[in-house]
Every structure is written in structure tokens, then in C-alpha cells.
Amino acid sequence: TFEVQGMNHLGWRAFLISGDLRKTEVLFAAPPLAEQPKVLQSIAQDIRCMYFDLVPDPSAQVRVEARSVRYTENRPGAKVEFVMGGADGVLLEKRLTHWIWPVWRVKFYEYTPAVEGVFPRGMVLDNARYHYRIVVKNRSLRIEKDGDTR
């Protein structure tokens, strides 16, 4: 599950949404976002893209490059690319392209050790459809697994 609060540079709360893999709940939305439910749904979907589905499908096409490995999954009318690299071979970038047009792109720039490997902690998502950017800097982290909280 996730909960995301959007704020401007002065700390003014613009929205609060929560959700999981399948559903989204808008807990608060200030005008004019309250009148733009598609934008709030898009933000929730982008959060899913940032935190869920971070490993390419085994059937993905693989291309080895000089400093990275690129995995491409074909989906109906679209493709998802995963770029892995760095000293630890972590996910550096994930992007969705619809036909030839970019829909969104996430760049992962900071990870923290977790129960099983690493967890993305610093990310930037650019949404080309609605023309916004999400910058995530997790200041606190709680990972729950099988009832265990760390």
C-alpha cells in the first residue's frame, strides 16, 4: 500500500491519496485538483510504477550496452523498458512508451538496504501525458513482510 501527499515549495498541501496495486482513494484534494480526478488517478498510477513491478518479466528482450543492461517488455500498443546498471546492477530507469510517444519515465538515484536486497529511496518521475514531475525523497522507511516490521 502507499500514501502520498503532494505539497508545493511553501509546504501547502495540494492532495493526499492512498492506494494499493488495484485501487486509489483520494483523501484530500485542493482546488483546482479536486476538479481533475484523472490527474490524481494518474499520480496514483505513477506511484505504482515507481514502487511496484520493478523487475522485468523473464520473457523481456535483453540488450547489453557498455554501462547498462536494457530489458524491454512489449505490451499491447506500448513497451516498458528497464535499464539496470551501476556497481550493484540496480534499476536506474524505467519508462513506458506508447507507440513512439513517451508516457512516463522514472529515474532511480538512491537506494537503501532492505530485508531482501535494496529499496528505492530517491526517484524522479516525469509524466509526459499530464506534464508534471514527481520527486520522491523518502525520509522514513518502514517495510513490512509477513507481519514483521523493520
Side-chain angles (χ1 to χ4, degrees):
T1 62
F2 64 87
E3 186 172 276
V4 176
Q5 177 170 270
M7 299 168 44
N8 71 7
H9 63 287
L10 297 174
W12 175 76
R13 184 167 69 169
F15 65 85
L16 179 62
I17 55 178
S18 67
D20 58 25
L21 278 171
R22 292 175 188 82
K23 66 180 169 97
T24 301
E25 183 178 0
V26 177
L27 304 172
F28 171 80
L33 282 175
E35 292 87 36
Q36 301 294 327
K38 287 185 179 181
V39 173
L40 294 170
Q41 291 293 328
S42 179
I43 291 169
Q45 185 58 38
D46 288 343
I47 297 299
R48 287 182 189 92
C49 295
M50 295 168 90
Y51 285 102
F52 304 124
D53 189 30
L54 298 178
V55 178
D57 190 86
S59 65
Q61 299 170 345
V62 181
R63 187 171 80 221
V64 178
E65 299 173 345
R67 294 191 167 136
S68 62
V69 178
R70 185 177 304 270
Y71 296 85
T72 304
E73 292 181 13
N74 291 314
R75 300 196 179 164
K79 68 179 179 177
V80 177
E81 291 182 288
F82 299 80
V83 179
M84 311 287 225
D88 297 324
V90 295
L91 182 61
L92 301 175
E93 185 175 324
K94 181 180 170 187
R95 73 174 70 188
L96 174 68
T97 306
H98 188 265
W99 300 108
I100 61 170
W101 296 281
V103 178
W104 51 257
R105 177 185 69 193
V106 185
K107 289 193 172 191
F108 300 84
Y109 64 88
E110 185 179 355
Y111 284 87
T112 190
V115 177
E116 295 178 1
V118 293
F119 186 81
R121 205 172 168 121
M123 300 160 270
V124 176
L125 179 135
D126 290 303
N127 185 304
R129 180 175 290 154
Y130 290 107
H131 309 287
Y132 62 78
R133 171 175 278 180
I134 298 174
V135 178
V136 174
K137 297 177 184 178
N138 289 324
R139 292 188 172 99
S140 63
L141 176 67
R142 188 178 80 194
I143 300 174
E144 296 180 8
K145 182 176 180 190
D146 300 328
D148 181 29
T149 303
R150 299 194 192 265

